[in-house]
Amino acid sequence: MKVLVPVKRVIDFNVAVRVKTDGSGVELANVKMSINPFDEIAVEEALRLKEKGTVTEVVAVSIGPAQASETLRTAMAMGADRGILIRHDGELEPLAVAKILKSVVEEEKPGLVIMGKQAIDDDCNQTGQMLAALLNWPQGTFASKLEIGDGHIQVTREVDGGLQTIDLDMPAIITTDLRLNEPRYASLPNIMKARKKPIAEKTAPECGVDVSPRLKILGVSEPSKRRTGTRVANAGELVTKLREAGVF
Ligand code: AMP
Protein backbone atom coordinates (compact mmCIF):
# COMPACT_ATOMS: atom_id res chain seq x y z
CA MET A 1 0.00 0.00 0.00
CA LYS A 2 1.13 3.49 -0.84
CA VAL A 3 0.82 6.42 1.59
CA LEU A 4 0.64 10.00 0.40
CA VAL A 5 1.88 12.65 2.83
CA PRO A 6 1.18 16.32 2.02
CA VAL A 7 3.88 18.54 3.53
CA LYS A 8 3.67 22.31 3.68
CA ARG A 9 6.53 24.79 3.77
CA VAL A 10 5.81 27.19 6.63
CA ILE A 11 7.66 29.74 8.77
CA ASP A 12 9.85 27.80 11.21
CA PHE A 13 8.10 27.40 14.56
CA ASN A 14 11.04 29.06 16.37
CA VAL A 15 10.78 32.29 14.36
CA ALA A 16 9.08 35.30 15.95
CA VAL A 17 6.51 36.17 13.28
CA ARG A 18 6.32 39.83 12.22
CA VAL A 19 3.28 41.43 10.62
CA LYS A 20 3.93 43.54 7.49
CA THR A 21 3.66 47.27 8.14
CA ASP A 22 0.68 47.57 5.75
CA GLY A 23 -1.19 44.81 7.66
CA SER A 24 -1.61 42.74 4.49
CA GLY A 25 0.07 39.63 5.89
CA VAL A 26 3.19 38.43 7.66
CA GLU A 27 6.79 39.09 6.68
CA LEU A 28 8.24 36.17 4.71
CA ALA A 29 11.37 37.78 3.24
CA ASN A 30 14.57 36.30 4.69
CA VAL A 31 12.64 34.24 7.22
CA LYS A 32 13.65 30.66 8.05
CA MET A 33 11.11 28.24 6.60
CA SER A 34 10.64 24.58 7.58
CA ILE A 35 8.32 21.65 7.17
CA ASN A 36 5.03 22.14 9.04
CA PRO A 37 5.53 20.29 12.38
CA PHE A 38 2.25 18.32 12.09
CA ASP A 39 3.36 17.17 8.61
CA GLU A 40 6.65 15.97 10.07
CA ILE A 41 4.55 13.81 12.43
CA ALA A 42 2.60 12.56 9.38
CA VAL A 43 5.84 11.58 7.59
CA GLU A 44 7.07 9.81 10.73
CA GLU A 45 3.83 7.81 11.03
CA ALA A 46 3.95 6.78 7.37
CA LEU A 47 7.58 5.66 7.84
CA ARG A 48 6.68 3.62 10.94
CA LEU A 49 3.93 1.87 8.93
CA LYS A 50 6.50 1.14 6.22
CA GLU A 51 8.94 -0.24 8.80
CA LYS A 52 6.16 -2.53 10.11
CA GLY A 53 5.65 -3.82 6.57
CA THR A 54 2.09 -2.49 6.18
CA VAL A 55 3.16 0.18 3.70
CA THR A 56 5.39 -0.23 0.66
CA GLU A 57 5.91 3.35 -0.49
CA VAL A 58 5.77 6.80 1.14
CA VAL A 59 5.25 9.68 -1.27
CA ALA A 60 5.52 13.29 -0.07
CA VAL A 61 3.71 16.07 -1.93
CA SER A 62 4.11 19.81 -1.47
CA ILE A 63 2.29 22.67 -3.13
CA GLY A 64 4.23 25.90 -3.18
CA PRO A 65 7.15 27.80 -4.70
CA ALA A 66 10.34 26.19 -6.02
CA GLN A 67 11.76 26.26 -2.47
CA ALA A 68 9.05 23.83 -1.36
CA SER A 69 11.34 21.20 -2.88
CA GLU A 70 13.50 21.72 0.26
CA THR A 71 10.48 20.67 2.34
CA LEU A 72 10.18 17.56 0.18
CA ARG A 73 13.90 16.89 0.68
CA THR A 74 13.35 17.08 4.47
CA ALA A 75 10.58 14.47 4.19
CA MET A 76 12.81 12.32 1.95
CA ALA A 77 15.78 12.69 4.33
CA MET A 78 13.51 11.28 7.06
CA GLY A 79 12.79 8.35 4.73
CA ALA A 80 10.03 9.21 2.23
CA ASP A 81 10.71 7.46 -1.09
CA ARG A 82 9.95 10.26 -3.55
CA GLY A 83 8.43 13.69 -3.84
CA ILE A 84 5.89 15.56 -5.92
CA LEU A 85 6.12 19.33 -6.17
CA ILE A 86 3.10 21.25 -7.42
CA ARG A 87 4.53 24.64 -8.25
CA HIS A 88 2.58 27.70 -7.19
CA ASP A 89 3.91 31.10 -6.17
CA GLY A 90 1.70 33.04 -3.78
CA GLU A 91 -1.04 32.31 -1.30
CA LEU A 92 -3.28 29.26 -1.61
CA GLU A 93 -6.51 28.67 0.26
CA PRO A 94 -7.26 25.25 1.79
CA LEU A 95 -9.96 24.53 -0.82
CA ALA A 96 -7.46 25.02 -3.67
CA VAL A 97 -4.90 22.85 -1.84
CA ALA A 98 -7.54 20.16 -1.27
CA LYS A 99 -8.54 20.21 -4.96
CA ILE A 100 -4.91 19.86 -6.05
CA LEU A 101 -4.38 17.04 -3.54
CA LYS A 102 -7.50 15.33 -4.90
CA SER A 103 -5.95 15.31 -8.39
CA VAL A 104 -2.69 13.91 -6.96
CA VAL A 105 -4.64 11.20 -5.09
CA GLU A 106 -6.49 10.26 -8.28
CA GLU A 107 -3.19 9.87 -10.08
CA GLU A 108 -1.22 8.15 -7.31
CA LYS A 109 -4.04 6.03 -5.85
CA PRO A 110 -2.70 5.78 -2.28
CA GLY A 111 -4.41 3.58 0.32
CA LEU A 112 -4.01 6.31 2.91
CA VAL A 113 -3.33 10.03 3.03
CA ILE A 114 -1.70 11.08 6.29
CA MET A 115 -1.46 14.87 6.72
CA GLY A 116 -1.18 17.49 9.43
CA LYS A 117 -4.27 18.55 11.36
CA GLN A 118 -3.28 22.15 10.70
CA ALA A 119 -0.60 24.28 9.12
CA ILE A 120 0.99 26.45 11.81
CA ASP A 121 1.04 29.52 9.53
CA ASP A 122 -2.66 29.90 8.68
CA ASP A 123 -4.01 27.58 11.43
CA CYS A 124 -6.87 26.73 9.06
CA ASN A 125 -7.43 23.09 10.05
CA GLN A 126 -9.52 22.62 6.89
CA THR A 127 -7.52 20.91 4.17
CA GLY A 128 -7.83 17.30 5.41
CA GLN A 129 -11.57 17.60 5.97
CA MET A 130 -12.08 19.23 2.56
CA LEU A 131 -9.99 16.58 0.82
CA ALA A 132 -12.04 13.81 2.49
CA ALA A 133 -15.25 15.51 1.33
CA LEU A 134 -13.99 15.99 -2.24
CA LEU A 135 -12.89 12.35 -2.49
CA ASN A 136 -15.88 11.05 -0.52
CA TRP A 137 -13.42 9.14 1.68
CA PRO A 138 -13.74 8.51 5.44
CA GLN A 139 -11.66 10.77 7.67
CA GLY A 140 -9.97 10.32 11.04
CA THR A 141 -8.89 13.73 12.27
CA PHE A 142 -6.66 14.67 15.24
CA ALA A 143 -5.20 11.16 15.34
CA SER A 144 -3.09 10.19 18.36
CA LYS A 145 -2.88 6.46 17.47
CA LEU A 146 -3.31 4.43 14.28
CA GLU A 147 -3.77 0.71 13.90
CA ILE A 148 -4.15 -0.83 10.47
CA GLY A 149 -6.21 -4.01 10.04
CA ASP A 150 -7.40 -5.74 6.88
CA GLY A 151 -8.86 -2.97 4.74
CA HIS A 152 -9.63 -0.97 7.90
CA ILE A 153 -7.85 1.50 10.09
CA GLN A 154 -8.55 2.22 13.74
CA VAL A 155 -7.92 5.81 14.64
CA THR A 156 -7.74 7.08 18.21
CA ARG A 157 -8.73 10.73 18.21
CA GLU A 158 -8.05 13.42 20.77
CA VAL A 159 -11.40 14.97 21.61
CA ASP A 160 -12.37 17.42 24.34
CA GLY A 161 -13.51 14.79 26.84
CA GLY A 162 -10.62 12.37 26.25
CA LEU A 163 -9.99 9.81 23.53
CA GLN A 164 -12.37 8.47 20.88
CA THR A 165 -11.56 5.39 18.77
CA ILE A 166 -13.16 5.03 15.36
CA ASP A 167 -12.87 2.38 12.67
CA LEU A 168 -12.57 3.54 9.06
CA ASP A 169 -12.65 1.70 5.77
CA MET A 170 -9.62 2.41 3.63
CA PRO A 171 -8.72 4.39 1.59
CA ALA A 172 -9.03 7.15 4.16
CA ILE A 173 -7.71 10.54 5.19
CA ILE A 174 -5.91 10.83 8.52
CA THR A 175 -4.85 14.10 10.13
CA THR A 176 -2.19 14.01 12.82
CA ASP A 177 -2.26 15.40 16.33
CA LEU A 178 0.81 16.26 18.38
CA ARG A 179 0.91 13.07 20.45
CA LEU A 180 0.80 10.59 17.53
CA ASN A 181 4.58 10.15 17.62
CA GLU A 182 7.91 11.92 18.01
CA PRO A 183 9.45 12.48 14.57
CA ARG A 184 12.97 11.19 13.97
CA TYR A 185 15.91 13.38 13.06
CA ALA A 186 17.31 12.83 9.59
CA SER A 187 20.83 11.39 9.74
CA LEU A 188 23.58 12.91 7.60
CA PRO A 189 23.81 9.85 5.28
CA ASN A 190 20.02 10.01 4.80
CA ILE A 191 20.19 13.74 4.03
CA MET A 192 22.78 12.91 1.34
CA LYS A 193 20.67 10.02 0.01
CA ALA A 194 17.60 12.28 -0.16
CA ARG A 195 19.39 14.52 -2.66
CA LYS A 196 19.23 11.68 -5.18
CA LYS A 197 15.57 10.81 -4.63
CA PRO A 198 13.26 11.90 -7.45
CA ILE A 199 10.92 14.91 -7.32
CA ALA A 200 8.27 15.09 -10.05
CA GLU A 201 7.08 18.61 -10.87
CA LYS A 202 3.76 19.98 -12.08
CA THR A 203 1.77 23.20 -11.85
CA ALA A 204 -1.69 23.80 -10.42
CA PRO A 205 -3.25 24.40 -13.88
CA GLU A 206 -1.71 21.10 -15.04
CA CYS A 207 -3.69 19.49 -12.20
CA GLY A 208 -6.80 21.08 -13.69
CA VAL A 209 -7.41 23.27 -10.64
CA ASP A 210 -8.43 26.91 -10.56
CA VAL A 211 -6.62 28.32 -7.52
CA SER A 212 -8.00 31.84 -7.64
CA PRO A 213 -8.84 33.06 -4.13
CA ARG A 214 -12.39 33.02 -2.81
CA LEU A 215 -11.61 34.72 0.48
CA LYS A 216 -10.44 38.27 1.10
CA ILE A 217 -8.12 39.01 4.02
CA LEU A 218 -9.29 42.29 5.52
CA GLY A 219 -6.30 42.80 7.76
CA VAL A 220 -3.59 41.08 9.79
CA SER A 221 -2.48 42.53 13.12
CA GLU A 222 -0.04 41.66 15.90
CA PRO A 223 -1.52 40.11 19.06
CA SER A 224 -1.85 42.63 21.89
CA LYS A 225 1.31 42.89 23.97
CA ARG A 226 1.36 40.90 27.21
CA ARG A 227 1.52 43.16 30.27
CA THR A 228 4.57 42.59 32.46
CA GLY A 229 3.92 40.46 35.51
CA THR A 230 4.99 41.02 39.10
CA ARG A 231 6.25 38.46 41.58
CA VAL A 232 4.35 38.17 44.88
CA ALA A 233 5.77 36.82 48.12
CA ASN A 234 2.85 34.65 49.16
CA ALA A 235 -0.78 33.66 48.50
CA GLY A 236 -2.12 36.39 50.81
CA GLU A 237 -0.39 39.10 48.81
CA LEU A 238 -1.69 37.54 45.58
CA VAL A 239 -5.30 37.64 46.88
CA THR A 240 -4.88 41.29 47.93
CA LYS A 241 -3.51 42.24 44.53
CA LEU A 242 -6.28 40.40 42.69
CA ARG A 243 -8.90 42.18 44.89
CA GLU A 244 -7.26 45.55 44.15
CA ALA A 245 -7.34 44.74 40.44
CA GLY A 246 -11.05 44.00 40.73
CA VAL A 247 -10.70 40.34 39.69
CA PHE A 248 -13.10 39.34 42.51
P1 AMP B 1 -4.54 23.74 6.94
O1 AMP B 1 -5.91 23.24 6.59
O2 AMP B 1 -4.07 24.88 6.06
O3 AMP B 1 -4.39 24.06 8.42
O4 AMP B 1 -3.51 22.56 6.61
C1 AMP B 1 -3.69 21.22 7.06
C2 AMP B 1 -2.74 20.28 6.38
O5 AMP B 1 -2.95 20.31 4.96
C3 AMP B 1 -1.26 20.60 6.55
O6 AMP B 1 -0.76 20.11 7.79
C4 AMP B 1 -0.65 19.86 5.35
O7 AMP B 1 -0.56 18.46 5.61
C5 AMP B 1 -1.72 20.06 4.27
N1 AMP B 1 -1.38 21.25 3.46
C6 AMP B 1 -1.88 22.51 3.56
N2 AMP B 1 -1.32 23.33 2.65
C7 AMP B 1 -0.43 22.57 1.96
C8 AMP B 1 0.49 22.82 0.90
N3 AMP B 1 0.62 24.04 0.35
N4 AMP B 1 1.25 21.78 0.44
C9 AMP B 1 1.14 20.56 0.98
N5 AMP B 1 0.30 20.26 1.98
C10 AMP B 1 -0.47 21.24 2.47
Side-chain angles (χ1 to χ4, degrees):
M1 180 178 69
K2 189 192 287 185
V3 176
L4 187 72
V5 187
V7 291
K8 186 176 185 188
R9 179 176 183 264
V10 297
I11 296 183
D12 187 271
F13 75 99
N14 283 308
V15 170
V17 177
R18 278 175 301 119
V19 171
K20 284 186 191 162
T21 41
D22 64 1
S24 63
V26 298
E27 202 56 74
L28 292 178
N30 303 319
V31 171
K32 182 176 183 225
M33 306 291 281
S34 298
I35 182 171
N36 182 45
F38 290 107
D39 303 352
E40 211 174 3
I41 294 173
V43 175
E44 176 64 37
E45 198 62 22
L47 295 175
R48 289 187 189 189
L49 291 174
K50 191 176 171 198
E51 284 157 1
K52 272 194 206 158
T54 333
V55 162
T56 47
E57 193 184 25
V58 177
V59 182
V61 53
S62 194
I63 305 152
Q67 298 91 320
S69 60
E70 291 159 19
T71 313
L72 291 170
R73 295 271 171 226
T74 305
M76 293 192 290
M78 287 174 71
D81 298 287
R82 60 187 169 92
I84 302 172
L85 171 64
I86 311 291
R87 281 287 304 271
H88 178 80
D89 295 304
E91 289 294 315
L92 271 181
E93 291 169 3
L95 183 59
V97 175
K99 285 180 179 172
I100 294 171
L101 290 176
K102 177 177 182 257
S103 81
V104 176
V105 166
E106 283 166 350
E107 202 171 312
E108 291 287 334
K109 302 189 174 36
L112 267 185
V113 177
I114 310 181
M115 54 203 291
K117 72 167 180 183
Q118 78 195 62
I120 61 162
D121 51 1
D122 57 22
D123 274 346
C124 278
N125 177 4
Q126 293 169 6
T127 311
Q129 295 87 332
M130 286 178 170
L131 178 60
L134 292 172
L135 288 166
N136 200 20
W137 281 13
Q139 57 182 303
T141 52
F142 306 156
S144 62
K145 191 172 167 213
L146 300 183
E147 236 162 286
I148 296 194
D150 195 15
H152 291 243
I153 183 163
Q154 279 207 350
V155 184
T156 304
R157 307 182 57 240
E158 297 200 357
V159 293
D160 268 356
L163 298 175
Q164 178 195 55
T165 302
I166 55 173
D167 191 75
L168 310 177
D169 288 335
M170 291 199 292
I173 307 290
I174 307 296
T175 74
T176 60
D177 215 325
L178 208 56
R179 277 161 287 275
L180 182 59
N181 60 50
E182 216 174 287
R184 68 196 65 190
Y185 286 104
S187 65
L188 192 58
N190 285 346
I191 294 172
M192 303 306 283
K193 260 196 229 159
R195 291 194 186 164
K196 296 208 179 96
K197 292 185 180 175
I199 295 182
E201 225 181 285
K202 254 187 168 183
T203 62
E206 280 168 352
C207 297
V209 177
D210 169 14
V211 296
S212 44
R214 297 166 180 231
L215 307 172
K216 194 168 149 205
I217 294 179
L218 300 179
V220 177
S221 55
E222 301 264 358
S224 49
K225 294 259 177 295
R226 251 182 98 181
R227 282 189 289 155
T228 45
T230 50
R231 198 174 278 275
V232 291
N234 52 44
E237 193 185 332
L238 174 65
V239 172
T240 312
K241 281 202 183 282
L242 290 174
R243 281 221 174 95
E244 283 166 6
V247 175
F248 57 87

